[in-house]
Amino acid sequence: MKVLLIGSGGREHALAWKIAQSPKLTTLYAAPGNPGIAEEATIVGLDTEDHTAVLDFCREQAIDFVVVGPEAPLVAGLADVLRAASIPVFGPSAAAAQLEGSKGFTKDLCARYGIPTGAYERFTAAEPAKAYIREQGAPIVIKADGLAAGKGVTVAMTVEEALAAIDDCFAGAFGSAGAEVVVEAYLDGEEASFFCLCDGKTVLPLGSAQDHKRVGDGDTGPNTGGMGAYSPAPVMTQEMVERTMKEIIEPTVRGMAESGHPFTGVFFAGLMITEKGPELIEYNVRFGDPECQVLMMRLTSDLLPLLYAAATGTLDGLKAEWRDEAALTVVMASRGYPGAYEKNTPIDSLPKASAKTKVFHAGTAMKGGRLVATGGRVLNVTAMGRTVGEAKSAAYAALKGVSWENGFYRADIGWRAVERET
């Protein structure tokens, strides 16, 4: 099978690394890729926003299957263009990708199908939103409706903070993503990420992970795209998995099919485990980043046929096999992230990969023969262990092999799970 992988981040490096292990693979191409992905795939200089160029490349190279890593091309309809040309593609249609592309769309779906989630209202102007916030009080959550690269959410602990977040959205801080705002109830509990493959009808549960969104130790500071993750998440017990499937995932699959937008690809359900049970915070329509990295470390099954089955309606009867061990990843980011940061700072050395450790590239490039940091989140130092505590120790030990002066990281990734172990 000749495969084209779309994307350039840590998630895509993890997918490339896993797909490259498949005996069913003949050639793996990646666009635009990164230096880590280049170790697993042939990098192609494609503008992935130019859907016609992607389609032309697929035809020229007789690509059998396209795997779309990030959300933006899916929301923009790349999967529709490829499917119309009879090229199998992993990822939902633009209509189905609204589950991530519009927070309001997902909230309305939850209301229609009785899916547990926080109470909410949608607003297209600042003053009514502010009046609602003053009426509800804090804590309260403000979300830009559209795609904002993980930065459009404010968990406001005071009314003043919430009002400022409304001003940010309508002042254009998140571009067109903030033209509409969802204001929703604050959910108290423990967050978890839950992943399933779906082919439009059949759902295959994959696994759980827990991300660390805030930039600082002890879950302090502003939200980021994720500073580290581990898998599995102990809070996702077998009972919680079964409830999540029955109360959240299955009604979503049914609802999307009934609305004429059957969902194919991966469901990434961001959950809050409250006193009442699992409640949906949001859906993403692609693998999480950095959750994908820890999931791929634990997956023993061949990933490629699982993705292909999801894309072609043939998931029924398939299973995914997993290592019993835990995996943990620590994100190394550029100083200043999630605010302004210096680009093109040199990374002088990386630790060697082993059977239990791997560094995934997220925001790197080669400039003048040197590896440099080009993004906010730059490296994902990942390790396995019998427990989350062991995986944490191994990941932080591997971090010492990174020589990059402009990098920083959280020192406490996995703290909730490690506390449970003691």
Side-chain angles (χ1 to χ4, degrees):
M1 200 184 288
K2 293 174 81 172
V3 178
L4 171 63
L5 173 66
I6 303 289
S8 63
R11 165 186 47 231
E12 288 77 35
H13 187 187
L15 291 172
W17 173 72
K18 196 67 188 172
I19 290 168
Q21 297 168 24
S22 176
K24 296 185 181 296
L25 181 75
T26 48
T27 311
L28 178 60
Y29 297 99
N34 68 36
I37 296 170
E39 295 171 10
E40 313 290 350
T42 300
I43 301 299
V44 184
L46 271 179
D47 176 3
T48 55
E49 291 182 15
D50 183 344
H51 296 177
T52 304
V54 174
L55 179 58
D56 289 345
F57 176 82
C58 290
R59 285 174 168 154
E60 286 161 14
Q61 298 298 326
I63 297 294
D64 299 299
F65 186 38
V66 178
V67 177
V68 183
E71 63 276 15
L74 295 168
V75 172
L78 177 58
D80 303 82
V81 171
L82 295 169
R83 279 198 193 95
S86 300
I87 296 168
V89 54
F90 179 78
S93 65
Q98 287 180 94
L99 278 175
E100 179 166 1
S102 169
K103 306 290 192 300
F105 174 89
T106 298
K107 284 294 201 177
D108 289 350
L109 184 87
C110 288
R112 202 174 311 127
Y113 287 91
I115 296 165
T117 189
Y120 73 103
E121 290 288 345
R122 300 173 70 169
F123 298 95
T124 53
E127 287 314 312
K130 289 181 174 182
Y132 180 75
I133 287 164
R134 290 188 185 100
E135 185 186 304
Q136 296 298 315
I140 197 163
V141 181
I142 291 82
K143 294 179 177 177
D145 180 72
L147 296 182
K151 300 184 185 74
V153 177
T154 301
V155 181
M157 303 313 286
T158 65
V159 168
E160 289 69 28
E161 192 183 351
L163 298 177
I166 292 292
D167 285 336
D168 284 346
C169 284
F170 287 113
F174 308 109
S176 60
E180 183 172 336
V181 169
V182 174
V183 181
E184 62 182 63
Y186 172 81
L187 296 176
D188 198 16
E190 186 169 344
E191 282 193 56
S193 303
F194 184 67
F195 297 86
C196 305
L197 296 181
C198 184
D199 67 1
K201 311 176 294 291
T202 302
V203 182
L204 174 64
L206 287 179
S208 65
Q210 192 169 76
D211 190 11
H212 299 61
K213 282 288 183 200
R214 292 191 180 266
V215 73
D217 288 359
D219 293 327
T220 56
N223 268 339
T224 70
M227 293 299 292
Y230 60 89
S231 175
V235 72
M236 289 302 289
T237 60
Q238 189 56 38
E239 182 213 358
M240 210 56 71
V241 168
E242 287 168 8
R243 285 191 61 184
T244 300
M245 290 297 293
K246 186 178 174 190
E247 297 171 25
I248 295 176
I249 304 294
E250 288 168 10
T252 302
V253 174
R254 191 170 68 249
M256 293 301 285
E258 286 177 8
S259 63
H261 314 310
F263 185 92
T264 67
V266 61
F267 279 121
F268 163 10
L271 305 173
M272 185 69 79
I273 310 305
T274 70
E275 289 178 351
K276 294 189 282 186
E279 297 194 49
L280 183 71
I281 300 172
E282 63 183 12
Y283 268 125
N284 296 305
V285 299
R286 36 68 190 185
F287 283 102
D289 190 347
E291 293 100 330
C292 184
Q293 290 82 311
V294 288
L295 286 173
M296 292 305 110
M297 289 286 280
R298 291 186 55 234
L299 181 67
T300 56
S301 299
D302 186 348
L303 177 66
L304 186 51
L306 292 175
L307 300 183
Y308 192 75
T312 56
T314 55
L315 261 184
D316 193 26
L318 294 187
K319 287 185 176 170
E321 302 292 334
W322 302 88
R323 291 184 176 84
D324 291 332
E325 296 143 293
L328 182 140
T329 189
V330 181
V331 171
M332 287 196 79
S334 295
R335 290 190 192 284
Y337 176 81
Y341 55 85
E342 190 181 347
K343 294 189 176 179
N344 300 315
T345 58
I347 301 169
D348 294 318
S349 67
L350 295 175
K352 284 191 167 60
S354 71
K356 293 292 177 79
T357 60
K358 175 77 181 167
V359 177
F360 294 108
H361 291 237
T364 66
M366 295 299 293
K367 297 253 172 106
R370 293 186 82 179
L371 184 67
V372 297
T374 55
R377 294 184 300 160
V378 175
L379 300 169
N380 310 135
V381 182
T382 314
M384 304 275 296
R386 284 178 304 169
T387 63
V388 174
E390 270 193 21
K392 178 182 179 181
S393 296
Y396 280 101
L399 265 168
K400 292 175 181 164
V402 178
S403 178
W404 173 35
E405 282 188 15
N406 200 50
F408 80 98
Y409 54 88
R410 276 182 59 165
D412 65 344
I413 302 302
W415 66 269
R416 283 189 181 88
V418 173
E419 273 186 4
R420 282 188 170 94
E421 293 167 6
T422 53

